Amino acid sequence: MKLAAGIQPETLTALIALVREHTGIAMSERKSVLLEGRLRPRMQALEIASYQAYLDKVVKDRNEVPHFIDLVTTNDTVFFRTPQVWDYVEQEFLPQWQRDHAGNTLKVWSAAASSGEELYSMAILCEEFKAVTPAFTYQIYATDISQQILAQARAGRYAGRSVERIRASHPEWVKKYFQASTHGLQIVDALKKHVELAQHNLLTPLKQPKQFDLVFLRNVLIYFDQEHQQTVLQQVRHSMAPHARLILGESESISGLDTACHFDRPMIYRLEK
Ligand SMILES: C[S@@+](CC[C@H](N)C(=O)[O-])C[C@H]1O[C@@H](n2cnc3c(N)ncnc32)[C@H](O)[C@@H]1O
């Protein structure tokens, strides 16, 4: 089967609209080569020869939508991405939270969790904190729009770039929280038991809203236009406890948006309800 050379302009416009409709992601028309590269393997597997025919399939066949979402989302992540965030969590957030909320369970939401490196980084810091503060308890809720990437997070198997930093900076954590497996490193069950994973689109309300103390919303707002950033922030805010902290990615800011979250320091915001 020979694939069509490139996406025709009208098909590209319609595909970009479909990406926005299903994920909120604002894709630029300049990204057509990227989009072609992502859709091509799926089209080949389905023996669909033109981008327009694939577009028609996504529109008509609801079962194709999750595959389409898996293809158009960008899932780059690593353990302990942006070290200063983790220094803040370890040295300031956790001790302060425990002082203010002794007896409660810390509730964390990794809101665009991708393959799980962020949520297991948090679980490692919580375990380390628990080792010196036995009364401390925690739960991590992790969501992503992509079913495929959530399956990877659930499996908890890591190799290559994802674990380079933690291997170099904390080999003792690698020994303690991972088991060697044929695929690389496998997260131990002691961490997994604190974690719940679920599929969730950030543009919609959480099915079971909780009051989270700490929300990681990192490296996902950059994919949305301002209107959708505002929607996401409104939804996330409803699931934040009154004292909660919100953590964004390095290149993200919410200063232009109407939100109850106030700047605390770069990347860290606090909710004032
Ligand atoms: C680049 S990863 C960020 C991973 C991690 N938070 C980090 O900072 O390393 C962005 C993630 O956002 C997810 N995503 C994109 N649109 C989303 C939406 N509307 N709702 C929920 N997750 C979404 C993608 O599937 C992807 O896994």
Side-chain angles (χ1 to χ4, degrees), residues 20 22-25 69-70 72-79 81-82 86 110-119 143-147 149-150 199-204 216-224 232 248-250 252:
R20 191 174 193 276
H22 288 294
T23 67
I25 295 170
I69 290 173
D70 292 341
V72 300
T73 48
T74 301
N75 311 114
D76 283 352
T77 184
V78 295
F79 274 86
R81 180 180 195 169
T82 317
W86 302 100
S110 170
S114 185
S115 37
E117 285 86 335
E118 178 176 272
L119 70 101
T143 59
D144 200 283
I145 196 172
S146 162
Q147 295 279 18
I149 209 71
L150 277 177
Q199 199 260 351
H200 171 66
N201 182 347
L202 284 165
L203 293 166
T204 62
F216 290 95
L217 184 67
R218 301 197 309 156
N219 303 300
V220 63
L221 285 179
I222 35 164
Y223 297 107
F224 301 145
V232 169
L248 302 184
E250 255 172 303
E252 294 169 322

Side-chain angles (χ1 to χ4, degrees), residues 9 24 36 40-41 53 107 121 124-125 151-152 163 190 209 215 226 238-239 265:
E36 285 165 20
R40 210 175 291 127
K107 293 189 194 64
S121 298
I124 289 172
L125 291 189
Q152 287 184 37
V163 279
V215 177
Q226 205 178 16
H238 292 307
S239 298
R265 67 192 77 186

